Amino acid sequence: MSLKDSNRRFGWLSITNHWLTATLVIVMLFVGFYMAGLPRGPEKLQMIGMHKSIGITILALAILRLFWRARNPMPDMLGNPPAWRHLAARTVQFSLLGLILLMPISGWIMSSAGGHPVSFFGLFTLPPLVDKSKALGEAFHEIHEILAFVIIALLVIHVLAALKHAFLDRDATLLRMLGRPGRD
Ligand code: HEM
């Protein structure tokens, strides 16, 4: 399989980025809601530290994806869909990309405003994005939580659309994101 994307196929870099991001975002949603419900203490602190590091990994993968897409064509949608379906699919995909950028950035602002460091797996510490501010910290906690629900809603639509392609339309949309040639 080629590294680069073409008008018909995803290369292995895009495929790896897609499934790695998908797995990490789903893990982060579970971890996020679980740790938010924990009482203050060492377990919560440890989980928040891990949550921040994985969130920054997701941000790095999203930035890599932007650079990659600027130099590689997005494969065309299969089956010549009507304009409204094309627009709907691209809107969901574009919104998910926006969210995997905004979600980590809102978490980073929340931590900075709270005066808490953002360490990347203990290897280095990222600079604060804003000055310490209780009001800003609380606002971004709220924003972070709302964005989590928006991601969940869009993920459900995105997964249902992929399953529709695989089982109702029986085209290769899902298969090509799995790196399999399938039926075009
Ligand atoms: C795509 C990436 C991310 C996802 C999906 C995600 C998801 C979540 C979720 C679902 C919550 C629980 C919200 C609530 O009910 O209060 C949460 C809380 C939190 N997140 Fe994230 N997050 C991401 C990235 C980040 C990043 C990069 C940081 C920091 C650098 C961060 C810092 C936090 C903090 C500090 C909390 C609050 C914990 C608490 O005080 O209880 N998150 N996150």
Side-chain angles (χ1 to χ4, degrees), residues 28 32 35-36 44 51-52 103-104 107 110 118 141 144-145:
M28 287 289 277
M35 74 185 194
K44 178 158 179 149
H51 181 87
K52 290 178 183 177
M103 194 74 201
M110 181 207 318
V118 177
H141 194 159
H144 199 65
E145 187 176 354

Side-chain angles (χ1 to χ4, degrees), residues 24-38 44 48 51-59 99-111 116-119 126 141-142 144-146 148-149 151-152:
L24 293 180
V25 167
I26 291 167
V27 167
M28 287 289 277
L29 289 168
F30 279 105
V31 168
F33 285 122
Y34 174 73
M35 74 185 194
L38 288 177
K44 178 158 179 149
I48 291 181
H51 181 87
K52 290 178 183 177
S53 300
I54 299 175
I56 296 301
T57 308
I58 294 172
L59 179 61
L99 284 164
I100 56 175
L101 288 163
L102 287 178
M103 194 74 201
I105 292 171
S106 65
W108 189 352
I109 295 178
M110 181 207 318
S111 298
H116 306 297
V118 177
S119 157
L126 291 161
H141 194 159
E142 197 73 18
H144 199 65
E145 187 176 354
I146 292 167
F149 287 111
I151 286 202
I152 292 171

